């Protein structure tokens, strides 16, 4: 069991904390050492002080086709940690449009009227399969679980001057698999990962099944903590804090005592 040290990446709109990553663009040495090989998932905290670009990610097939061998797609999900009153994000398009219509909208800086805007609040959950157009609005802080991929195709960037990827972006857009945006039910599973939210009141234990693969490692993300500790059979209790991420090795049993809200993250 190891507590992971986040890698901070400053952005023009805020910042990202790569809290569990073996990706070459932001690898935590202690996490790579624990896994032994690259981990299939990447966990971030994103602080959006201003709106992010309108973007889309490829699926596995298109990542390989457009970017070459060794690239994977990016299916992700968001758990909203906090949101200013009235904060919104982009979750897909608001109708069915041809690539020609969308290309014209991008070039004429009118893409915003084609987008589906959703107001969000702390505790809401969004599933964002690869191919879904999306963007985080200003005033939102969230935890993101995704495939270990750093491929982003910007469709529109509010005139900030950064590169956009219209041709590639339009090739990968899909509008299926969107789910209703609502408070997290406590359990979610897709092809790549599963999440379980646990409200610890007194004590909670978990066993990480003994799989001899890097994806056998499980992650504990601490949403909030009130005088809670984490321990295993070899380690004395250690206090856990909001937004901590702990990596649990296969074959290990851990216990959390006290009061806390956590999200258990597993590879599928």
């Amino acid at each position: 069991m190891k507590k992971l040290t986040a890698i901070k990446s400053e952005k023009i709109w805020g910042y990202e904390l790569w809290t569990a990553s073996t990706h070459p663009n932001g690898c935590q040495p202690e996490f790579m050492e624990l896994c032994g090989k690259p981990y299939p998932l990447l966990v971030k905290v994103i602080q959006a002080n201003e709106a992010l670009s309108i973007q889309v990610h490829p699926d596995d097939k298109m990542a390989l086709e457009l970017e070459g061998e060794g690239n994977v797609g990016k299916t992700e999900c968001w758990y909203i940690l906090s949101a200013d009153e009235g904060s919104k994000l982009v979750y897909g398009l608001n109708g069915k449009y041809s690539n020609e219509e969308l290309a014209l909208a991008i070039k004429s800086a009118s893409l915003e009227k084609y987008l589906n805007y959703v107001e969000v609040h702390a505790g809401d959950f969004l599933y964002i399969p690869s191919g879904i157009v999306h963007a985080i609005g200003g005033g939102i802080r969230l935890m993101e679980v995704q495939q270990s991929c750093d491929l982003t195709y910007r469709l529109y960037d509010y005139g900030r001057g950064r590169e956009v990827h219209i041709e590639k972006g339009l090739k990968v857009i899909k509008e299926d698999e969107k789910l209703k945006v609502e408070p997290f039910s406590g359990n979610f599973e897709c092809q790549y990962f599963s999440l379980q939210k646990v409200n610890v009141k007194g004590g909670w234990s978990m066993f990480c099944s003994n799989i001899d693969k890097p994806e056998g490692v499980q992650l504990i993300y601490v949403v909030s903590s009130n005088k809670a500790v984490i321990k295993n059979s070899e380690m004395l209790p250690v206090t856990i804090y909001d937004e901590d991420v702990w990596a649990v090795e296969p074959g290990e049993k851990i216990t959390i005592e006290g009061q806390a809200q956590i999200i258990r993250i597993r590879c599928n």
Side-chain angles (χ1 to χ4, degrees), residues 103-121:
L104 181 61
I106 293 169
K107 292 171 183 177
S108 63
S110 60
L111 183 63
E112 292 174 72
K113 67 182 182 182
Y114 295 83
L115 304 174
N116 178 45
Y117 289 89
V118 180
E119 185 172 329
V120 292
H121 309 87

Side-chain angles (χ1 to χ4, degrees), residues 234-246:
E234 300 176 356
M235 190 176 79
L236 293 173
V238 177
T239 301
I240 59 175
Y241 298 96
D242 296 4
E243 298 190 4
D244 275 358
V245 175
W246 290 81

Side-chain angles (χ1 to χ4, degrees), residues 80-97:
I80 308 300
L81 298 170
S82 64
D84 293 347
E85 186 175 353
S87 293
K88 296 182 179 181
L89 48 74
V90 173
Y91 188 44
L93 305 173
N94 59 19
K96 293 186 177 181
Y97 305 103

